[in-house]
Amino acid sequence: MNTTAPIPRWSLQELPFGSPEALDAALADLDALVAEFEADRSRLAHDLPVADFLELLHMQERIHDLCAQLGAYAYLLYAGNTQDSAALSLRGRIEQALTEADNRGLFFGLWFKSLPDEAAEPYIAAAGDLSYYLESL
């Protein structure tokens, strides 16, 4: 006789966004971080000091990290029960917030891509582990 044990369900309660309040707070944090990033748009110039560039680059990294965590949470919740309309709705809400955050931050990559190679080189050299990201833009 072939018997299988039931597959245990995972709990997302231990994750950073395990409650509706925590998820709403994370989305508000994302919005505030993106707004702060957008506010620095006027600082972008070919002669932007390297320290200021690194500050913006690390802010963008924090935005991407938070987006990845929110997206992973939404997909894990949905994968736990693909018939759950609340999970599907939340996944859609998160996807919309992540798309909006990404669109609002596009200016940084476009600015960097517009730099002449000689202007971009000091930024890439100072970026450390993030230099690959800059080179791939």
Side-chain angles (χ1 to χ4, degrees):
M1 178 173 186
N2 187 8
T3 61
T4 58
I7 298 173
R9 294 187 55 97
W10 60 72
S11 171
L12 301 180
Q13 297 303 314
E14 295 178 22
L15 296 178
F17 318 119
S19 71
E21 297 81 15
L23 185 62
D24 288 342
L27 287 169
D29 289 346
L30 176 62
D31 189 56
L33 192 55
V34 171
E36 182 182 348
F37 188 65
E38 286 177 307
D40 288 331
R41 184 178 190 164
S42 62
R43 296 171 47 195
L44 298 179
H46 293 294
D47 60 349
L48 179 70
V50 171
D52 292 351
F53 173 80
L54 291 175
E55 179 185 326
L56 291 171
L57 183 61
H58 289 294
M59 189 181 308
Q60 187 181 46
E61 181 183 30
R62 287 193 310 273
I63 291 168
H64 282 274
D65 286 349
L66 185 53
C67 285
Q69 292 171 12
L70 285 164
Y73 176 81
Y75 278 100
L76 283 171
L77 183 65
Y78 176 70
N81 181 358
T82 59
Q83 302 303 310
D84 183 357
S85 61
L88 180 60
S89 175
L90 179 66
R91 189 183 80 170
R93 179 177 163 220
I94 298 292
E95 284 177 347
Q96 183 177 2
L98 301 185
T99 300
E100 181 181 330
D102 190 47
N103 288 342
R104 290 169 58 191
L106 282 176
F107 68 88
F108 185 76
L110 294 173
W111 167 78
F112 189 80
K113 286 172 48 171
S114 75
L115 292 175
D117 289 345
E118 59 274 0
E121 286 172 9
Y123 300 135
I124 293 171
D129 290 342
L130 299 177
S131 62
Y132 175 78
Y133 166 73
L134 296 172
E135 291 170 344
S136 69
L137 289 175

